[in-house]
Amino acid sequence: MGNSNGKNRTHPVADHEPDYAYKDYGYDYEYDQRNDYDSGWHPDKTYGEAYFHEHNNDSPLTKRRSCTDVLCLILFLVFLGGWGAVAFLGIQGGDISKVIYPTDSQGNICGKGEMTDRQALLMFDLTQCLNPAVLVTGCLTTHVCVNKCPDENYSPLGEAKLGTNQQKIKERMKPFCKPVSDEQFKQDVETLVQKEICPPWYLKSSEVLGRCFPVSMKAEDNDSNEEVVVKKLDTGGDHDITKGEIEGSLYRLGAFLNIRQFGERIFMDLKETYWMIGLALIGACILSFVWIVLMRFLASFMVWVSILTVFLGIGGLLGYSGYRLYFVWLSTDPETHKNIFQLNWTPEIVDDFLKQRDTWMAFTIILGIIFLVIVLLFLFLRQRIMIAIALIEQGSKAVGQMFSSLFFPIIPFLLQLVVVGWFLVVALYLASWGEQEYRVAFKNDRDCSQFEGCSQTVNGSDSVPYQSNDTCTPEEFKPCIDSCPEAMCQFVKYTKNKDYSWMQFVNVFGLYWGVFFFSAFGEIVLAGVFSQWYWTFNKKTDLPDCSLGTAMWNATVFHLGTIAFGSLLIAIIRMIRTMLEYVERKCKRFNNDLTKCLIWCCKCCLWCLEKFMRFINRNAYIMCAVKSTNFCKSAKEAFNLLMRNLVRVVVLDSVVDFLLFLGKLVIVLLTGVASYMTFSGQIPEIKDDIPSLNYFFTPIVFIVIGSYFIASAFFGVYNMAVDTLFLCFLEDLERNDGSVEKPYYMSKSLKKILGKMEKSVNESRHRSP
């Protein structure tokens, strides 16, 4: 409570205060509703002019609106034009199929042009991928586009050496050969293999990302890794092909393609369970909707259920981690005593990670700390939690009477998906805007420098032999291949266009600005809906029929400039953070501790700045929705109003956000537990219907992440409702005094909340020394 002498008030009060300043409104103590608490404020700091100068009881809702921040809207439209120009240039110069589809050794795109009916890529000799140079030059074997991946193990060369009919061999191997004329294909099998028109052997394969990979040959023991898959006689080489070599080749090739067998297994699991994941996410939508509807009638009960569920959930996870730690600690298996840096990066790394003692010790410690923090929060913030629950109940009433607001977040979400989709398309076109790059490679480290045609002209006159990894073109390098068959001019990648960097910069910035723009659009529309509810005196009879439509019209017609202004500020900060992360990746090679420290400090400051600006923007949008003022004025008025009521903000804002966050966690926990029970085979009735998976946690992870975003969308409406009502509530306290002439717009329940807040602060002050 502020002192009655006025020395510690956060907003000015006239010397001739009317008698109603100390009226009793039904509480068991007296207080001045216009005085703020003792929150460290000093007399010289006024935080703007309070609303006590208002002599009428009209709501602050602006009846006649005007366009705000028009210059920012023009700037946004100009940027969209520039972004469109970048997209046009990228589409003109790029070919998205270069990124989506694989490319053969001659630079032909599988599934496009002459290769329309050949959509998969087959590599003739996967053992060539064992060469460490694969990370630079690619796999040094012939790549050819094929109609489908092989469905059998077969060696045309071996069959030819055994005297099998040549025509029968050609019929079986033709689908996996280069597309050549019938005249060329009349040559014998040995010649076709020698000229690398056809593969000497191939294995049963499955298609992954458009490439044919042999089916997994992982052995149960190391000795069987030496088992021969293709004999030396059948390869045309100097050694047998073993299971170990094939498996190693797959791993090497996986590094070049940024996928390994782990990624392949994840991909296959998603392919098997995508429809189940979709059903689970639909279930999460239904659960979130039901939860929100129940909060309309049982807000207090549902919040306490959320608290209890999270408490029991964290406690249960802590107990399970302690249980696993106990048995791992007693285990004599040497694998359990390894640390994470001793693990091998294999497809079984997750299983190995969960066998370690340190893993479960870390889980137990982390969960124990979280559990302790939650217990302490509930013990010391129980009074504030009760107040926050009361405010959430008011938010539930507003959401209940403005029920259409629950479905509105679908609109900005879909618009954000459009922005992300546009960004991805432009990024792919820009990435494919470049020339094909070929590099020289020599099989088996063959030296071809003495052969005619295996040299290149440098500086217009000097003739220098080709070296491995030199750039080349197929036409100029053909004489070298004719004289030295071990030489190859191998397609490696598409070089980036010289304008690639700044164009991708524009594209990334457009992604940030567009996503934040539609997020802000959603906030300002919801703020308009709930502010209309608050500033309607008789909420049962006087509410307009289509508040959501009115709020959308006001935001679209009058306040797009303000939305563009606020989202631009966040986009700039996020872009700086992105550039800083890029610099950090570049500086890692120098391993400079001072640089790392400076970068981390900058990242921390930028993160805090973004959080602060999001808070300012949110409240500025509320003020703009209410009063139709520009961004700067709205932000200033909202900030001053909050600072004049700082303790109320501290009492409620963070606690309400925390309680709603617990509600989201409950949705995630329920869907996570249900998916775990399903995919781990804990439900006998449907166990046989669940497909066999490499990692049963794959769909669970995607379901949990998706459920969190879905729950966030539904609870975001409640968050916006509470924030809007709270800001309107603070202004209502300053504008009105509860008298007959100037009654409050707040409901009786909100008046009780105010009483509890004042009482809580008084009790805290009396307990303090």
Side-chain angles (χ1 to χ4, degrees):
M1 283 294 292
N3 299 329
S4 59
N5 57 16
K7 292 183 178 180
N8 208 23
R9 292 169 179 166
T10 58
H11 32 67
V13 180
D15 294 335
H16 49 284
E17 294 185 354
D19 295 337
Y20 59 75
Y22 291 93
K23 283 190 176 180
D24 184 0
Y25 296 105
Y27 309 123
D28 56 354
Y29 61 95
E30 294 182 349
Y31 62 95
D32 183 351
Q33 305 231 19
R34 297 176 297 171
N35 288 353
D36 205 342
Y37 327 120
D38 187 2
S39 56
W41 173 88
H42 56 87
D44 296 330
K45 192 68 174 178
T46 60
Y47 292 111
E49 185 179 7
Y51 296 107
F52 293 130
H53 63 280
E54 302 288 347
H55 298 293
N56 59 66
N57 188 237
D58 295 336
S59 77
L61 282 175
T62 302
K63 308 299 181 184
R64 185 180 181 86
R65 292 186 174 267
S66 59
C67 295
T68 55
D69 299 298
V70 178
L71 290 179
C72 289
L73 178 59
I74 295 173
L75 178 62
F76 182 64
L77 295 176
V78 170
F79 175 81
L80 290 181
W83 196 11
V86 169
F88 176 78
L89 293 175
I91 294 172
Q92 287 289 100
D95 183 358
I96 199 171
S97 60
K98 295 178 182 178
V99 180
I100 297 176
Y101 301 103
T103 306
D104 68 9
S105 298
Q106 282 68 48
N108 299 314
I109 301 172
C110 299
K112 300 290 289 184
E114 297 179 355
M115 301 293 173
T116 303
D117 58 341
R118 293 172 169 253
Q119 300 180 353
L121 185 71
L122 176 68
M123 285 156 278
F124 279 6
D125 186 1
L126 268 176
T127 60
Q128 296 295 324
C129 300
L130 285 169
N131 191 331
V134 68
L135 297 173
V136 178
T137 63
C139 194
L140 302 182
T141 186
T142 303
H143 298 56
V144 61
C145 298
V146 296
N147 179 261
K148 64 176 183 177
C149 296
D151 55 5
E152 63 176 348
N153 298 337
Y154 186 64
S155 174
L157 183 60
E159 291 289 330
K161 290 182 178 180
L162 292 174
T164 306
N165 183 277
Q166 292 266 328
Q167 190 61 34
K168 290 184 178 180
I169 298 174
K170 288 183 180 180
E171 287 178 0
R172 291 180 67 177
M173 73 177 186
K174 186 174 182 179
F176 312 110
C177 298
K178 292 179 180 179
V180 295
S181 65
D182 294 337
E183 187 66 29
Q184 287 180 288
F185 203 69
K186 288 181 180 179
Q187 303 174 83
D188 58 71
V189 173
E190 289 86 347
T191 303
L192 291 173
V193 171
Q194 184 180 4
K195 291 184 176 181
E196 297 191 345
I197 295 175
C198 296
W201 53 273
Y202 50 80
L203 301 176
K204 182 178 180 181
S205 306
S206 60
E207 185 178 337
V208 180
L209 300 180
R211 295 165 175 82
C212 296
F213 286 89
V215 293
S216 179
M217 297 184 175
K218 194 67 177 178
E220 296 297 328
D221 55 80
N222 293 331
D223 293 337
S224 61
N225 279 336
E226 301 301 323
E227 182 181 339
V228 175
V229 178
V230 185
K231 295 181 179 179
K232 176 175 66 175
L233 181 67
D234 301 338
T235 65
D238 56 0
H239 68 286
D240 296 330
I241 304 299
T242 65
K243 282 186 177 181
E245 281 188 290
I246 296 296
E247 199 68 32
S249 300
L250 290 174
Y251 271 64
R252 289 282 188 182
L253 187 62
F256 179 68
L257 298 173
N258 287 328
I259 58 171
R260 291 185 182 271
Q261 195 174 22
F262 178 79
E264 179 183 350
R265 292 182 179 185
I266 295 291
F267 179 80
M268 295 305 295
D269 288 346
L270 292 176
K271 187 176 180 181
E272 290 290 333
T273 60
Y274 72 92
W275 63 274
M276 303 180 74
I277 295 174
L279 288 177
L281 295 180
I282 293 174
C285 285
I286 297 173
L287 181 60
S288 299
F289 180 76
V290 171
W291 193 276
I292 292 296
V293 171
L294 289 176
M295 285 188 69
R296 166 64 183 90
F297 306 100
L298 304 168
S300 179
F301 174 76
M302 298 303 291
V303 172
W304 283 114
V305 167
S306 300
I307 293 173
L308 182 61
T309 303
V310 171
F311 184 80
L312 295 178
I314 300 297
L317 290 174
L318 176 60
Y320 178 75
S321 296
Y323 171 80
R324 289 293 300 268
L325 176 62
Y326 174 76
F327 285 100
V328 171
W329 198 277
L330 297 179
S331 175
T332 58
D333 186 355
E335 292 292 325
T336 62
H337 298 281
K338 290 183 178 180
N339 60 54
I340 191 172
F341 300 105
Q342 294 175 311
L343 297 181
N344 295 319
W345 186 261
T346 66
E348 288 75 32
I349 188 172
V350 175
D351 295 332
D352 295 338
F353 179 72
L354 294 177
K355 291 179 182 177
Q356 291 183 297
R357 182 176 63 183
D358 291 348
T359 298
W360 293 105
M361 183 183 294
F363 283 165
T364 303
I365 293 173
I366 293 171
L367 288 171
I369 293 173
I370 294 174
F371 186 78
L372 179 62
V373 169
I374 291 176
V375 170
L376 293 176
L377 284 175
F378 291 158
L379 289 176
F380 292 100
L381 297 180
R382 61 187 183 279
Q383 184 64 32
R384 295 185 179 184
I385 289 174
M386 295 296 295
I387 298 173
I389 290 174
L391 186 57
I392 291 175
E393 287 179 334
Q394 295 303 303
S396 69
K397 291 180 180 179
V399 172
Q401 288 186 270
M402 304 291 189
F403 201 69
S404 58
S405 61
L406 278 178
F407 303 97
F408 170 73
I410 296 175
I411 297 176
F413 175 72
L414 293 177
L415 292 173
Q416 287 177 322
L417 285 183
V418 171
V419 173
V420 173
W422 175 256
F423 160 78
L424 292 176
V425 170
V426 175
L428 288 174
Y429 272 110
L430 292 177
S432 64
W433 186 10
E435 299 297 327
Q436 295 173 335
E437 181 179 304
Y438 297 82
R439 290 191 176 273
V440 176
F442 299 101
K443 292 183 179 178
N444 304 319
D445 296 327
R446 177 65 184 276
D447 183 8
C448 297
S449 58
Q450 71 275 15
F451 290 94
E452 184 179 355
C454 289
S455 58
Q456 57 182 328
T457 302
V458 180
N459 297 327
S461 59
D462 298 336
S463 182
V464 179
Y466 279 109
Q467 301 294 322
S468 180
N469 207 35
D470 283 348
T471 56
C472 60
T473 59
E475 295 77 13
E476 294 179 355
F477 199 75
K478 192 175 185 303
C480 182
I481 297 176
D482 294 337
S483 57
C484 182
E486 288 82 2
M488 299 178 63
C489 185
Q490 179 86 19
F491 169 79
V492 177
K493 63 179 180 179
Y494 291 96
T495 58
K496 297 292 187 292
N497 183 276
K498 59 183 178 63
D499 296 320
Y500 174 81
S501 297
W502 72 264
M503 285 186 170
Q504 280 291 27
F505 179 92
V506 172
N507 193 36
V508 173
F509 188 78
L511 169 68
Y512 290 151
W513 199 353
V515 169
F516 296 143
F517 180 89
F518 288 116
S519 176
F521 176 78
E523 290 182 352
I524 202 168
V525 169
L526 290 176
V529 170
F530 296 120
S531 61
Q532 178 72 53
W533 181 87
Y534 186 94
W535 293 111
T536 299
F537 196 80
N538 191 331
K539 297 174 175 56
K540 293 183 178 180
T541 59
D542 295 342
L543 284 174
D545 294 330
C546 191
S547 296
L548 179 61
T550 302
M552 290 180 64
W553 170 265
N554 291 339
T556 305
V557 175
F558 299 108
H559 305 313
L560 287 182
T562 298
I563 296 171
F565 194 164
S567 56
L568 173 62
L569 296 177
I570 304 297
I572 291 173
I573 297 173
R574 180 61 63 87
M575 196 67 201
I576 296 174
R577 291 179 62 188
T578 302
M579 295 170 64
L580 193 62
E581 290 173 359
Y582 175 80
V583 172
E584 182 185 20
R585 287 197 299 269
K586 292 296 183 181
C587 291
K588 279 184 178 179
R589 68 185 69 176
F590 302 109
N591 197 28
N592 188 314
D593 292 337
L594 177 60
T595 304
K596 289 181 180 179
C597 180
L598 291 175
I599 289 177
W600 273 103
C601 288
C602 293
K603 289 172 66 176
C604 180
C605 292
L606 287 170
W607 181 85
C608 294
L609 178 60
E610 182 175 331
K611 289 294 182 183
F612 175 74
M613 286 307 304
R614 284 180 179 274
F615 174 77
I616 293 296
N617 282 10
R618 192 178 183 89
N619 289 284
Y621 296 145
I622 295 172
M623 278 294 185
C624 177
V626 173
K627 301 183 178 181
S628 189
T629 51
N630 61 47
F631 179 84
C632 292
K633 185 174 181 180
S634 298
K636 179 182 177 182
E637 289 193 11
F639 182 77
N640 286 336
L641 180 59
L642 292 171
M643 290 303 295
R644 292 196 298 267
N645 298 271
L646 185 58
V647 176
R648 290 188 179 115
V649 175
V650 175
V651 167
L652 280 182
D653 191 60
S654 300
V655 179
V656 169
D657 289 343
F658 175 68
L659 293 180
L660 293 177
F661 174 73
L662 292 184
K664 290 188 283 187
L665 280 187
V666 171
I667 304 296
V668 173
L669 282 174
L670 292 177
T671 53
V673 169
S675 58
Y676 174 81
M677 298 290 289
T678 300
F679 291 105
S680 63
Q682 303 294 324
I683 306 177
E685 291 78 7
I686 62 172
K687 183 177 181 180
D688 296 335
D689 298 325
I690 303 299
S692 179
L693 302 175
N694 296 297
Y695 307 111
F696 76 89
F697 61 79
T698 300
I700 297 175
V701 170
F702 280 85
I703 289 171
V704 167
I705 295 174
S707 299
Y708 178 79
F709 284 110
I710 290 170
S712 297
F714 279 94
F715 279 85
V717 177
Y718 257 86
N719 269 321
M720 199 66 205
V722 171
D723 288 346
T724 303
L725 296 182
F726 185 60
L727 205 64
C728 295
F729 166 77
L730 296 180
E731 182 163 342
D732 194 12
L733 289 177
E734 293 191 355
R735 282 182 172 272
N736 305 300
D737 51 54
S739 63
V740 176
E741 295 81 10
K742 301 181 68 175
Y744 289 123
Y745 279 82
M746 71 181 77
S747 63
K748 293 180 179 179
S749 300
L750 275 175
K751 293 178 184 177
K752 292 180 180 179
I753 294 174
L754 174 63
K756 291 177 182 178
M757 291 168 63
E758 300 284 353
K759 185 176 181 180
S760 175
V761 174
N762 277 339
E763 291 175 351
S764 300
R765 182 178 294 114
H766 292 319
R767 286 196 299 267
S768 61

